[in-house]
Amino acid sequence: MSRYRLLHLVGAAAVLACGVLFAQSDSNPLEPGEKAAGEWIKVRLETARIEGDWLSSRPLLESTVNGLKDRADLLEEKRDHLKAKTAKDREEIDSLKEKNQAAAEDLKATEDRLGALSSKLIELRPMLPPRLSEALELPYRSISNPALGAGDRMQLVMTMLNRCALFNHTVTCGEEVLAIEGEQGTKSLEVIYWGLAHAYALDRAAGKAWYGSPGPRGWQWEPRPEAVKSVTRLVAVYNDKADPDFVAVPASVGQPLAETAGK
């Protein structure tokens, strides 16, 4: 509201007050006018004081507003400068985010493949030679843990595959305690493994021999009484208790049984 409008309203209020006072007082017609004039003077003085305060404060307020505008402009310049300066960094960050996302997807796919490979190894355990299966007891126990990390699982899987590959490329012979179907309890037998494919077990005292190979229900031992002498000869050659020679022992190629030469 402007100063002149305020004065106009104050004057109108004073005149109205005078009219009211004249109407209420019949004894002294000048008294209401004196009171109204006094009130009008008070209002005028207060108005002048407010105007003086505004005139004195206005330069400071205008200076403050201008300072705030200058500061806002400076901050906008700094913002634009930082945006331009960090544009390359933000592009690199976005690129790293994309690479991280791709790496996370690859890691998830790798974990899924490792999980499937672990399940396959667990399924194949009954088909492994008993000696190798027993040697892999701890890795098999660890790989069955669903909370195992991808790095540890990868290390265990590679260890197991390497052990199987090494076993498959060597001939292993030694005494082993086995529980063979059709025999009472467990027996300590001389066993020679021909890789992962087949093996021969010998009970020298009882004069019995068995042919071992993976079967539909896992590793199985098949009695081969006719092979006692050849298996005994084969074990002796392996242990350097007989001269090197070719020994004919039973072997299975697919479903049928055949004879193969062994050292």
Side-chain angles (χ1 to χ4, degrees):
M1 183 180 295
S2 66
R3 179 181 61 182
Y4 300 103
R5 175 116 178 125
L6 178 62
L7 291 175
H8 178 73
L9 292 176
V10 170
V15 172
L16 180 62
C18 290
V20 174
L21 290 174
F22 281 139
Q24 292 178 353
S25 177
D26 296 333
S27 59
N28 188 4
L30 297 177
E31 183 179 354
E34 292 175 353
K35 290 182 179 180
E39 293 296 329
W40 183 84
I41 291 172
K42 289 180 181 180
V43 172
R44 184 68 184 86
L45 291 174
E46 182 64 22
T47 303
R49 186 188 65 81
I50 293 173
E51 289 179 349
D53 291 342
W54 163 247
L55 291 175
S56 62
S57 301
R58 182 176 179 178
L60 178 61
L61 293 174
E62 290 178 349
S63 176
T64 302
V65 171
N66 293 331
L68 292 175
K69 287 182 178 179
D70 293 339
R71 186 177 180 185
D73 294 339
L74 180 61
L75 291 175
E76 288 180 355
E77 291 179 1
K78 289 184 177 180
R79 179 199 62 192
D80 296 339
H81 176 70
L82 287 175
K83 282 185 176 180
K85 185 178 180 180
T86 59
K88 184 177 181 180
D89 294 336
R90 285 184 282 110
E91 290 178 358
E92 291 180 355
I93 291 174
D94 293 339
S95 177
L96 288 175
K97 287 182 179 179
E98 294 178 358
K99 290 181 180 179
N100 287 339
Q101 180 66 26
E105 294 175 357
D106 291 342
L107 180 59
K108 180 64 171 57
T110 301
E111 290 178 350
D112 294 341
R113 288 194 294 269
L114 282 174
L117 184 56
S118 299
S119 300
K120 191 64 177 179
L121 285 173
I122 293 174
E123 293 177 4
L124 290 176
R125 186 179 185 183
M127 311 292 292
L128 296 178
R131 178 172 296 181
L132 179 60
S133 178
E134 183 178 355
L136 294 175
E137 173 65 25
L138 182 59
Y140 265 115
R141 191 180 305 172
S142 300
I143 206 173
S144 301
N145 183 7
L148 190 66
D152 295 334
R153 186 175 297 277
M154 172 67 79
Q155 185 175 2
L156 285 173
V157 167
M158 293 306 299
T159 298
M160 296 171 71
L161 292 177
N162 289 335
R163 290 285 299 273
C164 290
L166 180 62
F167 194 93
N168 191 44
H169 288 83
T170 57
V171 177
T172 307
C173 183
E175 292 188 1
E176 189 173 347
V177 177
L178 297 175
I180 297 180
E181 186 178 357
E183 298 292 325
Q184 294 182 353
T186 58
K187 290 186 175 184
S188 179
L189 306 175
E190 295 178 82
V191 184
I192 182 168
Y193 291 97
W194 221 267
L196 298 174
H198 53 274
Y200 306 96
L202 175 65
D203 185 351
R204 197 181 297 269
K208 295 181 178 181
W210 293 266
Y211 171 77
S213 63
R217 296 179 301 172
W219 190 268
Q220 59 188 11
W221 292 101
E222 177 188 355
R224 298 302 297 266
E226 76 283 2
V228 173
K229 291 184 178 180
S230 59
V231 173
T232 301
R233 175 70 178 172
L234 182 66
V235 173
V237 172
Y238 180 89
N239 292 324
D240 294 329
K241 295 182 178 179
D243 294 333
D245 194 6
F246 288 97
V247 180
V249 288
S252 175
V253 180
Q255 292 298 327
L257 293 177
E259 297 288 329
T260 185
K263 180 180 178 181

